[in-house]
Amino acid sequence: MKIRKPVKPTREIYEAAKKKWESVKPSYEPDDLENCRCYAVTILAYTGNAKLSKYEQENNLRIDFTKGGRVTIRSNFPKASRMKNFTIGDYPLVQLVSSRTKIKEVFDGNSSRGTVSDAIDLYEKDLERKVANNKLSQGSFGTYECRLNKLRPYFNKAPVFADLMAGGIECVLDQIIENESPNYAPELFAELKRVWGFAASKLANGRNIAASIAVDYVSSRVECVSATRLYTDIDSIVELYINIGLAPSTQQKNAMRYMILTGVRPINVCNLRWEWLDDIRCPRKITYPKGTMKDKNRPFELPVTSALRALLKEQRQWQLQAGSCNKEFVFLQPTNPSEAFAVRSLDKLIKDYSPVDCVKGDIENANVKGTNGAFNTMCRKFCKTNIKGLLKQSGRTYSDINFIANLAMHHKTTDEDHRDDMKEPYDFTNELFPHDYQEKFNAFKLHQASILAKAKELVGKKVRKTGREQAIEERAIENQERNKLRAEIKSSIGKKGYSLFIRDPLPNGNTLVKDLILDQEGRQEVREHLSSSMAIAA
């Protein structure tokens, strides 16, 4: 279809419109802008120019009219002021009265215009509002806050939020790609887009420039990060189960064993509350409410097996004897029982008490998780794998095995993926006929039985070296190497010169000798210096 060009007005119409345009004088009213819009369209259609402008010199204001009928209000500061002009917005979304006020505030120095840091502050306050309204968990807020704190330094020298162009944001993204890990850079990009999406209406008159950046701008420039394919076997899990019994704290022992027996994520060990148990004295079921698991839209009913019940009873007894401690959470910090158990403590425990060679798979080509030994989700991986293997041995069908394993791990099942939301308010099958819950209970009983049976086999047998034991051995070897070099220095320059020597850097160096002794490369550098000094002396 051929597009017709707009008809050029006659000279008489042009002259009449121009006369009326010139008759409109400042200060302008909304009716004046509507009239000038019509006059400008006619004049520009005749002249072929891109735009016409009206000015309010006393208010440092400029109004641009385009041939398409768009009206944009901008600042128009005197050149002598050396102030940078900026766009306020399009009329009628932006009104004249508010525009004059804004320009006056900037000109008088009472407003600095919103920066990127101001935008981040506004977004952070909105997240705090969501936490207060129970629309966002405190844990999720902490995650977002960490990302925002990472973003702030990248915009320290950035221009005003509304003035930042897509190219400027892309320059920042290039720095993020260079400085951050491949899996963290896309997360910061996603957070940046959320900040712009929220603050655009408040600081840039709805102009969200971040939305114009390619969706794959970061992901296409970083190494593709996939889920780790590392895993462990039942021997390693059972040795961890046994070894953690030697932990100095009941809290440490029971928190780790709870994670092994249930396969829940580390955060769901630490956030477990007594009120989620159906009966504190003899629990049979734990119900994680909506919003507490990774899938925040569904609660999770966790059956309590016999070993798990004994563990929870021990925790309850400990808290009753402790007296002054946190009464809300099940697992508490050993050194500060007023606080819930820390996720990082679980990570340290699993590395310390797991066998050194417990991680299986292609470790050389693995991601960060698993390359430094045992990792928390290793227990969850094993739990699902073990349940599926045991169900297969019991003769269950392939579809049943996957369905039950997904139920036990709180993963979405095929039925839930294709659920009709209109039927959900009418479906109370699980409440009246708890078939799914019973399947989960049987699966966890099989999982528990396999672990306890294997643990019974290992009683009295020698188990493998743990990560903690290996770390102690490595520290002992490292200390021997350090002390050996210290003895060489004393032998070379004497005890009197030793104290002065280690407190100074080597020639042409900045690091003190006492710090160089702490690592292998530094020790080699010190030995080379001693050898060259002895050669010169000879």
Side-chain angles (χ1 to χ4, degrees), residues 29 66 136 388 391-392 396 412 440 452 475 528:
E29 299 295 333
T66 68
L136 184 71
K388 292 181 74 171
L391 289 172
K392 186 176 181 181
R396 300 300 293 263
K412 283 193 174 181
K440 278 193 289 188
L452 297 183
R475 282 197 297 270
E528 290 176 356

Side-chain angles (χ1 to χ4, degrees), residues 341-503:
F341 204 86
V343 174
R344 295 302 296 270
S345 296
L346 282 174
D347 186 63
K348 180 72 165 58
L349 287 172
I350 200 169
K351 283 180 167 56
D352 281 351
Y353 289 93
S354 291
V356 291
D357 56 349
C358 65
V359 179
K360 314 295 181 184
D362 189 3
I363 298 176
E364 296 297 326
N365 296 319
N367 299 322
V368 174
K369 185 183 288 187
T371 54
N372 291 325
F375 53 99
N376 277 332
T377 49
M378 185 177 76
C379 296
R380 184 169 176 82
K381 284 172 175 281
F382 173 76
C383 185
K384 184 168 187 177
T385 304
N386 194 38
I387 286 174
K388 292 181 74 171
L390 294 170
L391 289 172
K392 186 176 181 181
Q393 290 176 7
S394 67
R396 300 300 293 263
T397 64
Y398 179 77
S399 58
D400 283 350
I401 291 171
N402 284 320
F403 179 78
I404 296 169
N406 286 336
L407 279 178
M409 294 294 100
H410 200 235
H411 291 154
K412 283 193 174 181
T413 63
T414 305
D415 289 349
E416 289 166 340
D417 290 339
H418 300 89
R419 181 178 55 198
D420 184 350
D421 291 336
M422 293 302 292
K423 292 180 181 179
E424 187 179 3
Y426 302 94
D427 189 356
F428 294 91
T429 308
N430 288 331
E431 285 76 8
L432 298 177
F433 307 97
H435 176 265
D436 291 354
Y437 178 81
Q438 188 61 43
E439 291 285 15
K440 278 193 289 188
F441 184 42
N442 293 336
F444 279 115
K445 282 201 298 184
L446 289 173
H447 178 60
Q448 171 190 292
S450 67
I451 291 174
L452 297 183
K454 192 69 177 179
K456 191 174 181 179
E457 290 179 17
L458 293 178
V459 172
K461 295 182 180 180
K462 185 177 180 181
V463 295
R464 289 169 287 174
K465 186 191 304 179
T466 65
R468 185 168 178 267
E469 291 169 343
Q470 185 181 42
I472 292 173
E473 289 182 6
E474 289 175 351
R475 282 197 297 270
I477 294 171
E478 178 70 13
N479 287 333
Q480 287 178 4
E481 290 294 322
R482 294 173 183 176
N483 291 332
K484 182 179 179 182
L485 178 57
R486 292 184 181 112
E488 291 176 12
I489 296 172
K490 290 177 183 178
S491 174
S492 176
I493 62 177
K495 290 184 179 180
K496 292 184 178 180
Y498 171 79
S499 59
L500 295 175
F501 178 75
I502 64 170
R503 292 175 186 173

Side-chain angles (χ1 to χ4, degrees), residues 18 33 65 147 212 295 311 340 362 449 483 511 525:
K18 185 178 179 182
L33 297 190
F65 300 83
R147 293 173 186 165
S212 63
D295 184 349
L311 181 154
D362 189 3
N483 291 332
T511 306
E525 188 177 342

Side-chain angles (χ1 to χ4, degrees), residues 87-140:
T87 301
I88 298 176
D90 293 340
Y91 176 86
L93 294 177
V94 175
Q95 294 293 319
L96 283 168
V97 175
S98 60
S99 299
R100 293 182 186 118
T101 303
K102 180 66 177 176
I103 292 173
K104 187 176 187 306
E105 288 177 351
V106 175
F107 188 70
D108 293 343
N110 296 326
S111 173
S112 61
R113 300 178 64 209
T115 63
V116 176
S117 181
D118 295 330
I120 293 175
D121 290 340
L122 288 173
Y123 177 68
E124 190 170 9
K125 288 179 181 178
D126 188 64
L127 292 178
E128 292 174 352
R129 177 190 61 80
K130 290 180 179 179
V131 172
N133 294 338
N134 295 322
K135 299 296 182 182
L136 184 71
S137 69
Q138 189 65 43
S140 296

Side-chain angles (χ1 to χ4, degrees), residues 124-189:
E124 190 170 9
K125 288 179 181 178
D126 188 64
L127 292 178
E128 292 174 352
R129 177 190 61 80
K130 290 180 179 179
V131 172
N133 294 338
N134 295 322
K135 299 296 182 182
L136 184 71
S137 69
Q138 189 65 43
S140 296
F141 174 77
T143 301
Y144 293 137
E145 189 176 33
C146 288
R147 293 173 186 165
L148 295 176
N149 291 336
K150 269 284 188 180
L151 282 175
R152 289 180 194 275
Y154 287 105
F155 291 98
N156 276 344
K157 299 179 181 179
V160 173
F161 180 84
D163 293 342
L164 196 62
M165 297 290 103
I169 296 179
E170 288 177 353
C171 288
V172 170
L173 291 176
D174 291 339
Q175 295 177 36
I176 290 174
I177 292 169
E178 182 180 353
N179 298 335
E180 308 297 340
S181 63
N183 58 332
Y184 199 50
E187 292 182 9
L188 291 182
F189 179 37

